[in-house]
Amino acid sequence: MSISAALKEELAGRYSSIKEFSLPEKVDIGSRAPFSIEGHLDSEVDWPNFAIGIFYIDGPADELTVTVEGREFKVSRNMGVVKYAKPREGELQPCLTLTMSGDVLIEEEGSYRLSAMTGWFDEENNVLYYDDKIDKTLEGVTPGLPWWIIALAGGAAAIAVVGGVVAYQERRREEELIMALLARR
């Protein structure tokens, strides 16, 4: 067993676990960061349902636009979007897997902390009681120039610098020559 697998087992919830939470580390401002979550019910529980969700924990924006299965949600800090399954025949069976995918629109530069969670959803109070949780950080960055423009600009800058240095040295030689001529007089 690898160290990361051992760590994952140690961090898993008591009854459920997040098997996957993919989210890029960086995204350009004004772009959407895709995410996917896979939650797994590991053992029998007496929960009313099994739920997974993505939550906006902290960041510079007051709210984020999260799209899940084609529907957009405005999500404030410490709020999220939840998907859940109700049990058949009164019991939730182990090995139940739920998936959720979508994207998060990042409109301000900065560091955003998002969490994937598994647990159960209290429909009456609109609260997710989580059993497992994984946090990830997403950096909203100012879009950069394409690499080929940067390479061209770098080459032009090198030529300009060489040209500037040469021009400076030539002028300095002229000044030294004039000073030498003046010193001979």
Side-chain angles (χ1 to χ4, degrees), residues 35-61:
F35 71 87
S36 66
I37 301 168
E38 181 180 323
H40 187 263
L41 186 60
D42 300 328
S43 61
E44 284 190 29
V45 293
D46 60 357
W47 298 343
N49 56 51
F50 175 57
I52 63 172
I54 185 164
F55 286 78
Y56 174 34
I57 304 302
D58 195 24

Side-chain angles (χ1 to χ4, degrees), residues 47-51 92 118-123 127-131:
W47 298 343
N49 56 51
F50 175 57
L92 289 173
T118 59
W120 66 275
F121 181 63
D122 180 347
E123 295 175 86
V127 173
L128 175 77
Y129 291 95
Y130 73 89
D131 181 50

